[in-house]
């Protein structure tokens, strides 16, 4: 899994041409017969809950103004209306950006935080990665197939009360960095997403009782010092599959993650503090 990383400095022309090339390529994919994209919504939830989770809306990040967070909530409330109650029938594919569409001022989107080349900036519709992260995470706990997902290239903020393995999210950039999920099962799956006062919540439902439960674990977690003077972070994600008797029946490889760290992962060693802790 060892992989040497270094920052990529691309010219404005290179970024412009690349963005337009991949945008056109994505639009052509959406009208091609390669995938049958999920479009329908249900008026009533399917019977069986498969997995649910939530993420907190307001989190104080170091050196980041809270206006980024408040604007993100506005953007999330608009986006979830496009995704809530979407059903993926057998053979269909869920496309995050196909359903949400372009985030424009006319639709009510406001500037929010987006990660860009190892830092952050304000951009219209910013903050929607929290939604793609959560949908990716709950999908890993279902039999649905992740058809397309992109890892975050940079680890921008230090872990703070992390409850999930590093790299368990999915970055999104309209329209070419998409999250796509295909239903290769014989059952329907419905996505419920809501924003309340404190959390973003997401749930998968199905018309059949789930046969398995899942646990996501990481292996080979590493933080490496790179030759250019920075640090990188790496790991592998695996899925443990349990039957209805809670017996482990198999372990599945999911993906590997590689990211440049935008902070030092090592704290300075303080002899006096260590002596004080030892005396305790």
């Amino acid at each position: 899994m060892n992989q040497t990383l270094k920052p990529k400095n691309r010219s404005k022309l290179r970024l412009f041409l690349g963005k337009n090339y991949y945008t056109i390529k994505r639009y052509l994919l959406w009208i091609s017969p390669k995938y049958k994209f999920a479009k329908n919504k249900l008026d009533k939830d399917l019977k069986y809950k498969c997995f649910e989770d939530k993420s907190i809306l307001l989190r104080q990040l170091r050196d980041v103004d809270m206006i980024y967070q408040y604007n993100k909530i506005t953007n999330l409330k608009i986006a979830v209306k496009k995704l809530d109650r979407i059903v993926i029938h057998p053979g269909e594919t869920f496309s995050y950006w196909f359903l949400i569409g372009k985030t424009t001022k006319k639709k009510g989107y406001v500037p929010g935080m987006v990660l860009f080349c190892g830092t952050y900036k304000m951009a219209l519709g910013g903050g929607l990665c929290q939604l793609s992260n959560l949908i990716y995470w709950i999908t890993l706990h279902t039999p649905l197939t992740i058809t397309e997902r992109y890892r975050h290239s940079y680890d921008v903020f230090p872990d703070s009360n992390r409850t999930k393995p590093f790299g368990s999210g999915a970055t999104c950039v309209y329209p070419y960095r998409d999250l796509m999920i295909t239903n290769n099962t014989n059952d329907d799956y419905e996505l419920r997403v809501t924003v309340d006062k404190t959390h973003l919540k997401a749930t998968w439902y199905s018309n059949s009782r789930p046969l398995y439960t899942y646990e996501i674990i990481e292996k080979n977690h590493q933080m490496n010092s790179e030759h250019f003077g920075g640090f990188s972070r790496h790991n592998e994600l695996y899925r443990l599959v349990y039957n209805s008797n809670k017996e482990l029946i198999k372990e599945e490889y999911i993906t590997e993650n590689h990211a440049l760290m935008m902070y030092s992962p090592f704290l300075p060693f303080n002899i006096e503090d260590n002596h004080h802790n030892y005396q305790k």
Side-chain angles (χ1 to χ4, degrees):
M1 189 191 69
N2 290 336
Q3 180 171 325
T4 301
L5 300 181
K6 63 179 181 180
K8 296 180 180 180
N9 297 315
R10 295 189 173 97
S11 67
K12 290 184 179 179
L13 177 61
R14 170 65 179 82
L15 291 171
F16 174 80
L17 293 175
K19 181 177 181 179
N20 281 275
Y21 169 78
Y22 288 110
T23 295
I24 293 172
K25 188 176 180 181
R26 180 61 52 167
Y27 289 157
L28 291 174
L29 176 65
W30 284 344
I31 63 175
S32 77
K34 184 176 181 179
Y35 296 102
K36 182 180 179 182
F37 290 106
K39 302 177 183 179
N40 299 325
K41 289 192 174 188
L42 295 180
D43 295 328
K44 185 178 180 180
D45 289 338
L46 297 178
K47 185 176 180 179
Y48 298 100
K49 182 184 294 185
C50 300
F51 191 79
E52 66 179 348
D53 205 353
K54 62 183 179 181
S55 58
I56 193 167
L57 291 171
L58 295 175
R59 180 180 287 110
Q60 182 62 61
L61 300 173
R62 183 179 178 183
D63 300 326
V64 178
D65 195 298
M66 286 302 292
I67 189 62
Y68 288 84
Q69 303 281 325
Y70 295 123
N71 284 2
K72 173 192 68 177
I73 296 174
T74 298
N75 294 333
L76 286 172
K77 287 180 177 179
I78 299 171
V80 298
K81 292 178 182 178
K82 298 291 186 178
L83 305 184
D84 187 38
R85 296 191 183 277
I86 281 289
V87 60
I88 313 179
H89 299 294
E92 290 187 338
T93 295
F94 167 99
S95 167
Y96 185 78
W97 285 127
F98 178 81
L99 292 167
I100 293 176
K102 190 173 184 179
T103 55
T104 64
K105 186 176 181 180
K106 185 177 180 180
K107 295 177 182 178
Y109 288 100
V110 295
M113 186 179 73
V114 296
L115 302 181
F116 180 75
C117 294
T119 184
Y120 61 89
K121 64 178 183 178
M122 291 285 272
L124 202 63
L128 295 188
C129 272
Q130 182 171 352
L131 180 55
S132 60
N133 287 340
L134 185 58
I135 293 173
Y136 175 69
W137 174 252
I138 66 169
T139 302
L140 292 178
H141 294 78
T142 73
L144 295 170
T145 302
I146 305 294
T147 309
E148 181 177 353
R149 170 259 183 183
Y150 294 91
R151 63 176 181 250
H152 293 270
S153 300
Y154 294 89
D155 185 16
V156 179
F157 302 107
D159 294 353
S160 178
N161 300 319
R162 179 184 290 277
T163 59
K164 300 177 178 64
F166 162 70
S168 55
T171 189
C172 60
V173 180
Y174 181 87
Y176 47 86
R177 288 204 166 193
D178 200 3
L179 173 62
M180 298 210 306
I181 303 162
T182 299
N183 184 358
N184 291 319
T185 76
N186 296 320
D187 300 312
D188 290 334
Y189 282 83
E190 177 204 2
L191 177 66
R192 290 299 318 275
V193 280
T194 58
V195 177
D196 64 19
K197 293 182 179 180
T198 58
H199 289 83
L200 171 68
K201 299 180 180 180
T203 310
W204 277 116
Y205 286 88
S206 177
N207 59 335
S208 294
R209 187 185 303 275
L211 298 177
Y212 307 102
T213 56
Y214 305 88
E215 179 185 1
I216 312 304
I217 63 171
E218 71 171 345
K219 295 184 180 182
N220 300 318
H221 183 255
Q222 303 171 13
M223 293 183 180
N224 299 332
S225 177
E226 299 292 346
H227 64 85
F228 59 85
F231 298 91
S232 62
R233 190 172 187 176
H234 315 262
N235 75 350
E236 296 170 348
L237 296 183
Y238 289 81
R239 183 165 75 167
L240 305 181
V241 184
Y242 298 89
N243 62 19
S244 57
N245 295 322
K246 298 183 179 180
E247 299 169 331
L248 178 64
I249 59 173
K250 61 180 175 178
E251 178 180 291
E252 299 175 333
Y253 169 81
I254 299 173
T255 189
E256 62 183 49
N257 296 291
H258 309 281
L260 289 169
M261 302 181 70
M262 306 312 296
Y263 58 93
S264 174
F266 305 113
L267 297 175
F269 182 76
N270 188 309
I271 296 177
E272 292 185 1
D273 287 346
N274 187 67
H275 177 73
H276 178 69
N277 290 333
Y278 180 77
Q279 292 297 326
K280 288 182 179 180

